[in-house]
Every structure is written in structure tokens, then in C-alpha cells.
Coordinates of all heavy atoms in Angstrom, one line a residue:
M1 N -32.1 -23.6 32.6 CA -32.0 -22.2 32.7 C -31.6 -21.6 31.3 O -30.6 -22.1 30.7 CB -31.0 -21.8 33.8 CG -30.9 -20.4 34.0 SD -30.2 -20.1 35.7 CE -31.0 -18.7 36.0
P2 N -32.2 -20.5 30.8 CA -31.9 -20.0 29.5 C -30.5 -19.3 29.5 O -30.1 -18.7 30.5 CB -33.0 -19.0 29.2 CG -33.7 -18.7 30.5 CD -33.4 -19.9 31.4
D3 N -29.9 -19.3 28.3 CA -28.6 -18.6 28.2 C -28.8 -17.1 28.1 O -29.5 -16.7 27.2 CB -27.9 -19.2 26.9 CG -26.5 -18.7 26.8 OD1 -25.9 -18.1 27.8 OD2 -25.9 -18.9 25.7
R4 N -28.2 -16.3 29.0 CA -28.4 -14.9 29.0 C -27.2 -14.1 28.5 O -27.1 -12.9 28.7 CB -28.7 -14.4 30.4 CG -30.0 -15.0 30.9 CD -30.5 -14.2 32.0 NE -31.8 -14.8 32.6 CZ -33.0 -14.5 32.2 NH1 -33.1 -13.5 31.3 NH2 -34.0 -15.0 32.7
R5 N -26.3 -14.8 27.8 CA -25.1 -14.1 27.2 C -25.6 -13.2 26.1 O -26.5 -13.5 25.3 CB -24.1 -15.0 26.7 CG -23.4 -15.7 27.9 CD -22.3 -16.6 27.4 NE -23.0 -17.8 26.9 CZ -22.4 -18.8 26.4 NH1 -21.1 -18.8 26.2 NH2 -23.0 -19.9 26.0
V6 N -25.0 -12.0 25.9 CA -25.3 -11.1 24.9 C -24.2 -11.0 23.9 O -23.0 -10.8 24.3 CB -25.7 -9.7 25.5 CG1 -26.0 -8.7 24.4 CG2 -26.8 -9.8 26.5
S7 N -24.5 -11.0 22.6 CA -23.4 -10.9 21.6 C -22.9 -9.5 21.6 O -23.6 -8.5 21.9 CB -23.9 -11.3 20.3 OG -24.8 -10.4 19.8
K8 N -21.6 -9.3 21.1 CA -21.1 -8.0 21.0 C -21.9 -7.1 20.0 O -22.0 -5.9 20.3 CB -19.6 -8.0 20.5 CG -18.7 -8.6 21.6 CD -17.3 -8.5 21.0 CE -16.3 -9.1 22.1 NZ -14.9 -9.1 21.6
S9 N -22.4 -7.7 18.9 CA -23.1 -6.9 18.0 C -24.4 -6.4 18.6 O -24.9 -5.2 18.4 CB -23.4 -7.6 16.7 OG -24.1 -8.8 17.0
T10 N -25.1 -7.2 19.4 CA -26.3 -6.8 20.1 C -26.0 -5.7 21.1 O -26.8 -4.7 21.2 CB -27.0 -8.0 20.7 OG1 -27.2 -9.0 19.8 CG2 -28.3 -7.6 21.4
L11 N -25.0 -5.9 21.8 CA -24.6 -4.9 22.8 C -24.2 -3.6 22.2 O -24.6 -2.5 22.6 CB -23.4 -5.4 23.6 CG -22.9 -4.6 24.8 CD1 -24.1 -4.5 25.8 CD2 -21.7 -5.2 25.5
A12 N -23.5 -3.6 21.1 CA -23.1 -2.4 20.4 C -24.3 -1.7 19.8 O -24.3 -0.4 19.8 CB -22.1 -2.7 19.3
A13 N -25.3 -2.4 19.3 CA -26.5 -1.8 18.7 C -27.3 -1.1 19.8 O -28.1 -0.2 19.5 CB -27.3 -2.8 18.0
S14 N -27.2 -1.5 21.1 CA -28.1 -1.0 22.1 C -27.5 0.3 22.7 O -28.2 1.0 23.4 CB -28.3 -2.0 23.2 OG -27.0 -2.3 23.8
Y15 N -26.3 0.7 22.4 CA -25.7 1.9 22.9 C -25.3 2.8 21.7 O -24.8 2.3 20.7 CB -24.4 1.6 23.7 CG -24.7 0.9 25.0 CD1 -24.6 -0.5 25.1 CD2 -25.2 1.6 26.1 CE1 -24.9 -1.1 26.3 CE2 -25.5 1.0 27.3 CZ -25.3 -0.4 27.4 OH -25.6 -1.0 28.5
P16 N -25.5 4.1 21.8 CA -25.1 5.0 20.7 C -23.6 5.0 20.6 O -22.8 4.8 21.6 CB -25.6 6.4 21.2 CG -25.8 6.3 22.7 CD -26.1 4.8 23.0
S17 N -23.1 5.3 19.4 CA -21.7 5.3 19.1 C -21.1 6.5 19.8 O -21.6 7.6 19.8 CB -21.5 5.4 17.6 OG -20.1 5.5 17.3
T18 N -19.9 6.3 20.4 CA -19.2 7.4 21.0 C -18.1 8.0 20.1 O -17.5 9.0 20.5 CB -18.6 7.0 22.4 OG1 -17.7 5.9 22.1 CG2 -19.7 6.6 23.4
T19 N -17.9 7.4 19.0 CA -16.9 7.8 18.1 C -17.4 9.0 17.3 O -18.6 9.0 16.8 CB -16.4 6.8 17.1 OG1 -17.5 6.2 16.4 CG2 -15.7 5.6 17.8
P20 N -16.7 10.1 17.1 CA -17.2 11.2 16.4 C -17.3 10.9 14.9 O -16.6 10.0 14.4 CB -16.1 12.3 16.6 CG -14.9 11.5 17.0 CD -15.3 10.3 17.7
A21 N -18.1 11.7 14.2 CA -18.2 11.6 12.8 C -16.9 11.9 12.1 O -16.2 12.7 12.6 CB -19.3 12.5 12.3
P22 N -16.6 11.2 11.0 CA -15.3 11.5 10.4 C -15.2 13.0 9.9 O -16.2 13.5 9.4 CB -15.3 10.5 9.2 CG -16.7 10.1 9.0 CD -17.4 10.2 10.3
V23 N -14.1 13.5 10.1 CA -13.8 14.9 9.6 C -13.2 14.9 8.2 O -12.4 14.1 7.9 CB -12.9 15.6 10.6 CG1 -12.6 17.0 10.2 CG2 -13.5 15.6 12.0
A24 N -13.7 15.8 7.4 CA -13.2 15.8 6.0 C -11.8 16.3 6.1 O -11.5 17.3 6.7 CB -14.0 16.8 5.2
A25 N -10.9 15.5 5.5 CA -9.5 15.9 5.4 C -9.2 16.7 4.2 O -9.8 16.5 3.1 CB -8.6 14.7 5.4
F26 N -8.4 17.8 4.3 CA -8.1 18.6 3.2 C -6.6 18.6 2.9 O -5.8 18.4 3.7 CB -8.5 20.1 3.5 CG -10.0 20.3 3.6 CD1 -10.6 20.2 4.8 CD2 -10.8 20.4 2.5 CE1 -12.0 20.4 5.0 CE2 -12.1 20.6 2.6 CZ -12.7 20.6 3.8
V27 N -6.3 18.7 1.6 CA -4.9 18.6 1.1 C -4.6 19.9 0.5 O -5.4 20.4 -0.4 CB -4.8 17.4 0.1 CG1 -3.4 17.3 -0.4 CG2 -5.3 16.1 0.7
R28 N -3.5 20.5 0.8 CA -3.1 21.8 0.3 C -2.4 21.6 -1.1 O -2.0 20.5 -1.5 CB -2.1 22.5 1.3 CG -2.8 22.8 2.7 CD -3.9 23.8 2.6 NE -3.5 25.0 2.0 CZ -3.0 26.0 2.7 NH1 -2.8 25.9 4.0 NH2 -2.6 27.1 2.1
L29 N -2.2 22.7 -1.8 CA -1.7 22.7 -3.1 C -0.4 21.9 -3.3 O -0.2 21.1 -4.2 CB -1.5 24.1 -3.7 CG -1.0 24.2 -5.1 CD1 -1.9 23.5 -6.1 CD2 -0.9 25.7 -5.5
R30 N 0.6 22.2 -2.4 CA 1.9 21.5 -2.6 C 1.8 20.0 -2.5 O 2.4 19.3 -3.2 CB 2.9 22.0 -1.5 CG 3.2 23.5 -1.6 CD 4.2 23.7 -2.7 NE 4.5 25.1 -2.8 CZ 4.6 25.8 -3.9 NH1 4.4 25.1 -5.1 NH2 4.8 27.1 -3.9
E31 N 0.9 19.5 -1.6 CA 0.7 18.1 -1.5 C 0.0 17.5 -2.7 O 0.3 16.5 -3.2 CB -0.1 17.8 -0.2 CG -0.3 16.3 0.0 CD 0.9 15.5 0.3 OE1 2.0 16.1 0.7 OE2 0.9 14.3 0.1
V32 N -1.0 18.3 -3.2 CA -1.7 17.9 -4.4 C -0.7 17.8 -5.6 O -0.8 16.8 -6.4 CB -2.9 18.9 -4.8 CG1 -3.5 18.5 -6.1 CG2 -3.9 18.9 -3.7
E33 N 0.2 18.8 -5.7 CA 1.2 18.7 -6.8 C 2.0 17.5 -6.6 O 2.3 16.8 -7.6 CB 2.0 20.0 -6.7 CG 1.3 21.2 -7.2 CD 2.2 22.5 -7.0 OE1 3.1 22.5 -6.1 OE2 1.9 23.4 -7.7
A34 N 2.5 17.2 -5.4 CA 3.3 16.0 -5.2 C 2.6 14.7 -5.5 O 3.2 13.8 -6.1 CB 3.8 16.0 -3.7
R35 N 1.3 14.6 -5.1 CA 0.6 13.4 -5.3 C 0.2 13.1 -6.8 O 0.2 12.0 -7.3 CB -0.7 13.4 -4.5 CG -0.5 13.2 -3.0 CD -1.8 13.1 -2.4 NE -1.7 13.2 -0.9 CZ -2.7 13.0 -0.1 NH1 -3.9 12.7 -0.6 NH2 -2.5 13.1 1.2
T36 N -0.1 14.2 -7.5 CA -0.6 14.1 -8.9 C 0.5 14.2 -9.9 O 0.4 13.7 -11.0 CB -1.6 15.1 -9.2 OG1 -1.1 16.4 -9.1 CG2 -2.8 15.0 -8.3
G37 N 1.6 14.9 -9.6 CA 2.7 15.1 -10.5 C 2.3 16.3 -11.5 O 3.1 16.5 -12.4
L38 N 1.3 17.0 -11.2 CA 0.9 18.2 -12.0 C 1.3 19.4 -11.3 O 1.5 19.5 -10.1 CB -0.7 18.2 -12.1 CG -1.4 17.0 -12.7 CD1 -2.9 17.1 -12.6 CD2 -0.9 16.8 -14.1
S39 N 1.6 20.5 -12.1 CA 1.9 21.8 -11.6 C 0.7 22.5 -11.1 O -0.4 22.1 -11.5 CB 2.6 22.6 -12.7 OG 1.7 23.0 -13.7
G40 N 0.9 23.5 -10.3 CA -0.3 24.3 -9.8 C -1.1 24.9 -11.0 O -2.3 24.9 -11.0
K41 N -0.3 25.4 -12.0 CA -1.0 26.0 -13.2 C -1.9 25.0 -13.9 O -3.0 25.3 -14.3 CB 0.0 26.6 -14.1 CG -0.5 27.4 -15.2 CD 0.5 28.1 -16.0 CE -0.1 29.0 -17.1 NZ 0.3 30.3 -17.1
T42 N -1.4 23.8 -14.1 CA -2.1 22.7 -14.7 C -3.3 22.3 -13.9 O -4.4 22.1 -14.4 CB -1.2 21.5 -15.0 OG1 -0.1 21.9 -15.8 CG2 -2.0 20.4 -15.7
I43 N -3.2 22.2 -12.6 CA -4.3 21.9 -11.7 C -5.4 22.9 -11.9 O -6.6 22.5 -12.0 CB -3.8 21.8 -10.2 CG1 -2.9 20.6 -10.1 CG2 -5.0 21.8 -9.3 CD1 -2.2 20.5 -8.8
Y44 N -5.1 24.2 -11.8 CA -6.1 25.2 -11.9 C -6.7 25.3 -13.3 O -7.9 25.5 -13.5 CB -5.5 26.6 -11.5 CG -5.4 26.8 -10.0 CD1 -4.2 26.7 -9.4 CD2 -6.6 26.9 -9.3 CE1 -4.1 26.8 -8.0 CE2 -6.5 27.1 -7.9 CZ -5.2 27.0 -7.3 OH -5.1 27.1 -5.9
R45 N -5.9 25.0 -14.3 CA -6.5 24.9 -15.7 C -7.5 23.8 -15.8 O -8.6 23.9 -16.4 CB -5.3 24.7 -16.7 CG -5.8 24.9 -18.2 CD -4.6 24.7 -19.2 NE -3.4 25.3 -18.8 CZ -2.2 24.6 -18.6 NH1 -2.2 23.3 -18.9 NH2 -1.1 25.2 -18.2
K46 N -7.1 22.6 -15.3 CA -8.0 21.5 -15.3 C -9.3 21.7 -14.5 O -10.4 21.3 -14.9 CB -7.3 20.2 -14.8 CG -6.3 19.6 -15.8 CD -5.7 18.4 -15.2 CE -4.9 17.6 -16.3 NZ -5.8 16.9 -17.3
M47 N -9.2 22.4 -13.4 CA -10.3 22.8 -12.6 C -11.3 23.6 -13.4 O -12.5 23.4 -13.4 CB -9.9 23.6 -11.3 CG -9.5 22.8 -10.2 SD -8.9 23.7 -8.8 CE -10.0 25.0 -8.6
A48 N -10.8 24.6 -14.1 CA -11.6 25.5 -15.0 C -12.3 24.7 -16.1 O -13.4 25.1 -16.4 CB -10.7 26.6 -15.6
R49 N -11.7 23.7 -16.6 CA -12.3 22.9 -17.6 C -13.2 21.7 -17.0 O -13.8 21.0 -17.8 CB -11.3 22.2 -18.5 CG -10.5 23.2 -19.3 CD -9.6 22.5 -20.4 NE -8.7 21.6 -19.7 CZ -7.4 21.5 -20.1 NH1 -6.9 22.2 -21.0 NH2 -6.6 20.6 -19.5
G50 N -13.3 21.6 -15.7 CA -14.1 20.6 -15.1 C -13.4 19.2 -15.1 O -14.1 18.2 -15.0
E51 N -12.1 19.2 -15.3 CA -11.4 17.9 -15.3 C -10.6 17.6 -14.1 O -9.8 16.7 -14.0 CB -10.4 18.0 -16.5 CG -11.0 18.2 -17.8 CD -10.0 18.4 -19.0 OE1 -8.8 18.5 -18.7 OE2 -10.4 18.6 -20.1
F52 N -10.8 18.4 -13.0 CA -10.1 18.2 -11.7 C -11.0 18.7 -10.6 O -11.8 19.7 -10.9 CB -8.8 19.0 -11.7 CG -7.8 18.5 -10.7 CD1 -7.0 17.5 -10.8 CD2 -7.8 19.2 -9.4 CE1 -6.1 17.0 -9.9 CE2 -6.9 18.8 -8.4 CZ -6.1 17.7 -8.6
P53 N -11.0 18.1 -9.5 CA -11.9 18.5 -8.4 C -11.7 20.0 -8.0 O -10.6 20.5 -8.1 CB -11.5 17.6 -7.2 CG -10.9 16.4 -7.8 CD -10.2 16.9 -9.1
K54 N -12.8 20.7 -7.7 CA -12.7 22.1 -7.3 C -12.0 22.2 -5.9 O -12.2 21.3 -5.0 CB -14.1 22.7 -7.2 CG -14.8 22.7 -8.5 CD -14.3 23.9 -9.3 CE -15.1 24.0 -10.6 NZ -14.5 24.9 -11.5
S55 N -11.3 23.3 -5.7 CA -10.7 23.5 -4.4 C -11.8 24.1 -3.5 O -12.8 24.6 -3.9 CB -9.6 24.5 -4.5 OG -10.0 25.7 -5.1
V56 N -11.5 24.0 -2.2 CA -12.4 24.5 -1.1 C -11.7 25.6 -0.4 O -10.5 25.4 0.0 CB -12.8 23.4 -0.2 CG1 -13.7 23.9 1.0 CG2 -13.5 22.3 -0.9
R57 N -12.3 26.7 -0.1 CA -11.7 27.8 0.6 C -11.6 27.4 2.1 O -12.6 27.1 2.7 CB -12.5 29.1 0.5 CG -11.8 30.2 1.2 CD -12.1 31.6 0.8 NE -11.8 32.0 -0.6 CZ -10.6 32.2 -1.1 NH1 -9.6 32.1 -0.3 NH2 -10.4 32.6 -2.3
L58 N -10.4 27.4 2.6 CA -10.2 27.1 4.0 C -10.0 28.3 4.9 O -10.1 28.2 6.1 CB -8.9 26.2 4.1 CG -9.0 24.9 3.3 CD1 -7.6 24.2 3.5 CD2 -10.1 24.0 3.7
G59 N -9.8 29.4 4.3 CA -9.6 30.7 5.1 C -9.4 31.8 4.1 O -9.6 31.7 2.9
A60 N -9.0 33.0 4.6 CA -8.9 34.2 3.8 C -7.8 33.9 2.7 O -8.0 34.4 1.6 CB -8.5 35.4 4.6
N61 N -6.8 33.3 3.0 CA -5.7 33.1 2.0 C -5.3 31.6 1.8 O -4.1 31.3 1.6 CB -4.4 33.9 2.4 CG -4.7 35.4 2.5 OD1 -5.3 35.9 1.5 ND2 -4.3 36.0 3.5
A62 N -6.2 30.7 2.0 CA -5.9 29.3 2.0 C -7.0 28.5 1.3 O -8.2 28.8 1.5 CB -5.7 28.8 3.4
V63 N -6.6 27.6 0.4 CA -7.5 26.7 -0.2 C -7.0 25.3 -0.1 O -5.8 25.1 0.1 CB -7.8 27.0 -1.7 CG1 -8.4 28.3 -1.9 CG2 -6.5 26.9 -2.5
G64 N -7.8 24.3 -0.2 CA -7.4 22.9 -0.2 C -8.4 22.1 -1.0 O -9.4 22.6 -1.5
W65 N -8.0 20.8 -1.2 CA -8.9 19.9 -1.9 C -9.3 18.8 -0.9 O -8.5 18.4 -0.1 CB -8.2 19.3 -3.1 CG -8.0 20.2 -4.2 CD1 -8.8 20.2 -5.3 CD2 -7.1 21.3 -4.4 NE1 -8.4 21.2 -6.2 CE2 -7.3 21.9 -5.6 CE3 -6.1 21.8 -3.6 CZ2 -6.6 23.0 -6.0 CZ3 -5.3 22.9 -4.0 CH2 -5.6 23.5 -5.2
R66 N -10.6 18.4 -1.0 CA -11.0 17.3 -0.2 C -10.3 16.0 -0.5 O -10.1 15.7 -1.7 CB -12.5 17.0 -0.4 CG -13.4 18.1 0.2 CD -14.9 17.7 0.0 NE -15.7 18.8 0.6 CZ -16.1 19.8 -0.1 NH1 -15.8 20.0 -1.4 NH2 -16.8 20.8 0.5
E67 N -9.8 15.3 0.5 CA -9.0 14.1 0.3 C -9.9 13.1 -0.5 O -9.3 12.5 -1.4 CB -8.7 13.5 1.7 CG -8.0 12.2 1.6 CD -6.5 12.3 1.4 OE1 -5.9 13.3 1.7 OE2 -6.0 11.4 0.7
S68 N -11.1 13.0 -0.2 CA -12.0 12.0 -0.9 C -12.1 12.4 -2.4 O -12.1 11.5 -3.3 CB -13.4 11.9 -0.3 OG -14.0 13.2 -0.3
D69 N -12.2 13.7 -2.8 CA -12.3 14.1 -4.2 C -11.0 13.8 -4.9 O -11.0 13.3 -6.0 CB -12.6 15.6 -4.3 CG -14.0 15.9 -3.8 OD1 -14.9 15.0 -3.7 OD2 -14.3 17.1 -3.6
L70 N -9.9 14.0 -4.2 CA -8.6 13.8 -4.8 C -8.4 12.3 -5.1 O -7.9 11.9 -6.1 CB -7.5 14.4 -3.9 CG -6.1 14.5 -4.5 CD1 -6.1 15.4 -5.7 CD2 -5.2 15.1 -3.4
R71 N -8.8 11.5 -4.1 CA -8.6 10.0 -4.3 C -9.5 9.5 -5.5 O -9.0 8.7 -6.2 CB -9.0 9.3 -3.0 CG -7.9 9.4 -2.0 CD -8.3 8.6 -0.8 NE -7.3 8.8 0.3 CZ -7.1 8.0 1.3 NH1 -7.9 7.0 1.4 NH2 -6.2 8.3 2.2
E72 N -10.7 10.0 -5.5 CA -11.6 9.6 -6.6 C -11.0 10.0 -8.0 O -11.0 9.2 -8.9 CB -12.9 10.3 -6.5 CG -14.0 9.9 -7.5 CD -15.3 10.6 -7.2 OE1 -15.7 10.8 -6.1 OE2 -15.9 11.0 -8.2
W73 N -10.4 11.2 -8.1 CA -9.8 11.7 -9.3 C -8.6 10.8 -9.7 O -8.4 10.4 -10.8 CB -9.4 13.1 -9.2 CG -8.7 13.6 -10.5 CD1 -9.3 14.2 -11.6 CD2 -7.3 13.7 -10.8 NE1 -8.4 14.5 -12.5 CE2 -7.2 14.2 -12.1 CE3 -6.2 13.3 -10.1 CZ2 -5.9 14.3 -12.7 CZ3 -4.9 13.4 -10.7 CH2 -4.8 14.0 -12.0
M74 N -7.8 10.5 -8.6 CA -6.5 9.7 -8.9 C -6.9 8.3 -9.3 O -6.1 7.7 -10.0 CB -5.7 9.8 -7.6 CG -5.0 11.1 -7.4 SD -4.1 11.3 -5.9 CE -2.7 10.2 -6.3
A75 N -8.0 7.8 -8.9 CA -8.4 6.4 -9.3 C -8.6 6.3 -10.8 O -8.3 5.3 -11.4 CB -9.6 6.0 -8.6
N76 N -9.1 7.4 -11.4 CA -9.3 7.4 -12.9 C -9.3 8.8 -13.4 O -10.3 9.3 -13.8 CB -10.7 6.7 -13.2 CG -10.8 6.3 -14.6 OD1 -9.9 6.6 -15.4 ND2 -11.9 5.7 -14.9
P77 N -8.1 9.4 -13.6 CA -8.0 10.8 -14.0 C -8.5 11.1 -15.4 O -9.0 12.1 -15.7 CB -6.6 11.1 -13.8 CG -5.8 9.8 -13.8 CD -6.8 8.8 -13.3
M78 N -8.4 10.1 -16.3 CA -8.8 10.3 -17.7 C -10.3 10.4 -17.9 O -10.8 11.1 -18.8 CB -8.2 9.2 -18.6 CG -6.7 9.2 -18.6 SD -6.0 10.7 -19.2 CE -6.4 10.7 -20.9
C79 N -11.0 9.7 -17.1 CA -12.5 9.7 -17.2 C -13.3 10.5 -16.2 O -14.5 10.5 -16.2 CB -13.0 8.2 -17.2 SG -12.4 7.2 -18.5
W80 N -12.5 11.1 -15.3 CA -13.2 11.9 -14.2 C -13.8 13.1 -14.7 O -13.2 13.8 -15.6 CB -12.2 12.3 -13.1 CG -12.8 12.9 -11.9 CD1 -13.2 12.2 -10.8 CD2 -13.1 14.2 -11.7 NE1 -13.7 13.1 -9.9 CE2 -13.6 14.3 -10.4 CE3 -12.9 15.4 -12.4 CZ2 -14.1 15.5 -9.8 CZ3 -13.3 16.6 -11.9 CH2 -13.9 16.6 -10.6
T81 N -15.0 13.4 -14.3 CA -15.7 14.7 -14.7 C -16.3 15.3 -13.4 O -16.8 14.5 -12.5 CB -16.8 14.5 -15.7 OG1 -17.7 13.6 -15.3 CG2 -16.2 14.1 -17.1
A82 N -16.4 16.6 -13.3 CA -17.0 17.3 -12.2 C -18.5 17.0 -12.1 O -19.1 17.0 -13.2 CB -16.7 18.7 -12.3
A83 N -19.0 16.7 -10.9 CA -20.4 16.5 -10.8 C -21.2 17.8 -11.1 O -20.7 18.9 -10.7 CB -20.7 16.1 -9.3
A84 N -22.3 17.7 -11.7 CA -23.0 18.9 -12.1 C -23.7 19.5 -10.9 O -23.9 19.1 -9.9 CB -24.1 18.6 -13.2

């Protein structure tokens, strides 16, 4: 009689994923300052020169930075440049 056991990978591939797509995490200015050691003024100056990730408007009076962009910048801040 043939073996009818199904592997977990085969079983998982046959059903759609029920986990939601990852949500972009945003970091507010105070946290960016704490993580980078830069002041808000320096962050905005570097943004204007293309040396720091651009902020994203979160609301009428709120901005934040994408967690992924911030991590990429922190991995190599001296060589990071904004994507065209």
C-alpha cells in the first residue's frame, strides 16, 4: 500500500496564507533622534541634501520615517543616498 502522508510544506502550499501582509512600521521624530543621535534640525538638513530618508506624512500634523528606510540608512550612513 502506498504511503499517503503529506509533508508540511506540501500542505502549506495547498492552502492560502492566513497571515496578513506586513504593515509598514513608522518611527516618529523623537525616536529617530534617539536611534541616530542626530538632532531634528540635522535630520531635516540631511533630508534636504538627500543624505537621509524622506519623512512620510502620517496625518495633518504628524510625520514619520519608514522603519525599513531608517534601518537601511543606519546600516551605512556615510554611503547612503536617496533613491532617484
